[in-house]
Amino acid sequence: MDACPFLEIDGPAPSDWVLLCDHARNWVPPDVAGGDLGLPPEDMARHIAYDPGAEGVTRVLAAELNAPAVMATFSRLVIDPNRAEDDPTLLMRLYDGSIIPGNRHADATERQRRIAAWHRPYHDAVTAMLAARPEAMLVSIHSFTRQLRGRAPRPWHIGVLYSDDTRLARPLLDVLNGEPDLCIGDNLPYSGHLPGDTMDRHGVQPGRPHVLIELRNDLISTPETQAAWGVRLAHLLRAAHQQMEETRP
């Protein structure tokens, strides 16, 4: 595995879209807690380490939309790129019932080292890609687990997350609500309002139309289902974009 904190998919500039995948992979750099954070492989394969299926969907969606993308190459347990640098959950010590041994004793110096080595370069890459495409809409692809330990099952197939800016989220929800086979989460399974997270930093603060899409990870567990959802999302996003254009003042 290359030690670069991010992977880019090339695409046109200007472009209608820029795609992100904050939690694409579960890789742990060799210089971070022995390269495995002290976790067994079965924990590193869980949603606590990355968003299963999200990278595959992002790749297909990028191809369908002819869009560039930036994807983080490191596990969210190394340092979470979808959190502000001062967020208390930036470096997790306990996650969905699993203790993270390699993070238990990580001090402020180690936290800053990981921010400088992994977190900031990823966001610098996102900033640079967006700067070259000032009119592009921003779409971030994530996945979520069907059930957290000790919690009720989550019924949603897909969630649309947003904060105050609903220019893209609301049309996308309208389009999705016309899909009879889907259970839609409106700011579920999480709220899209998280100050300092990726969408706040690159969408809300600069005033760029954006949306975060969460797919339930059991629905995108194979290359075939990832491809199908990538194609389907491309169609849905184009329809949402068309609705935006038709209702623009």
Side-chain angles (χ1 to χ4, degrees), residues 5-246:
F6 59 89
L7 182 153
E8 292 183 324
I9 296 174
D10 195 18
S15 173
D16 287 336
W17 309 94
V18 169
L19 308 180
L20 303 181
C21 191
D22 295 327
H23 301 143
R25 296 182 178 180
N26 60 358
W27 179 62
V28 180
D31 64 347
V32 175
D36 62 7
L37 293 166
L39 286 169
E42 54 267 29
D43 265 337
M44 290 304 299
R46 294 178 62 214
H47 71 99
I48 65 171
Y50 76 125
D51 284 355
E55 179 180 354
V57 172
T58 302
R59 286 183 175 277
V60 174
L61 183 59
E64 289 292 316
L65 294 176
N66 191 27
V70 185
M71 300 185 286
T73 61
F74 53 95
S75 171
R76 67 194 302 170
L77 296 178
V78 172
I79 199 83
D80 195 332
N82 194 33
R83 296 293 185 272
E85 291 187 12
D86 61 352
D87 192 300
T89 64
L90 180 71
L91 197 157
M92 294 291 283
R93 292 172 168 80
L94 175 67
Y95 197 173
D96 194 23
S98 292
I99 294 172
I100 319 303
N103 289 346
R104 288 186 67 184
H105 304 295
D107 59 14
T109 299
E110 174 62 9
R111 178 187 177 104
Q112 288 302 314
R113 186 185 75 84
R114 296 189 198 181
I115 289 172
W118 306 100
H119 191 279
R120 286 180 190 153
Y122 171 69
H123 284 284
D124 288 347
V126 174
T127 298
M129 181 169 283
L130 291 171
R133 298 162 177 85
E135 303 302 320
M137 292 167 286
L138 183 61
V139 178
S140 187
I141 302 297
H142 289 250
S143 72
F144 65 97
T145 186
R146 183 167 191 167
Q147 186 172 14
L148 294 168
R149 290 179 176 175
R151 304 284 186 90
R154 293 158 156 175
W156 312 286
H157 300 109
I158 182 171
V160 176
L161 276 56
Y162 55 92
S163 184
D164 298 329
D165 184 344
T166 63
R167 285 175 292 173
L168 181 53
R170 186 53 57 193
L172 180 58
L173 282 165
D174 288 345
V175 171
L176 281 167
N177 283 323
E179 301 286 302
D181 61 323
L182 295 180
C183 180
I184 313 300
D186 185 340
N187 253 343
L188 293 167
Y190 315 104
S191 168
H193 180 70
L194 184 60
D197 72 352
T198 298
M199 300 311 279
D200 180 67
R201 180 171 179 170
H202 299 289
V204 175
Q205 294 182 31
R208 183 185 296 268
H210 62 279
V211 71
L212 189 153
I213 296 172
E214 289 270 5
L215 293 166
R216 208 174 70 202
N217 63 26
D218 63 306
L219 303 178
I220 52 171
S221 61
T222 67
E224 292 76 19
T225 54
Q226 292 160 23
W229 268 102
V231 171
R232 188 173 191 178
L233 285 178
H235 170 75
L236 294 164
L237 286 165
R238 288 195 189 100
H241 185 201
Q242 181 177 351
Q243 187 179 129
M244 282 180 64
E245 292 299 309
E246 291 172 351

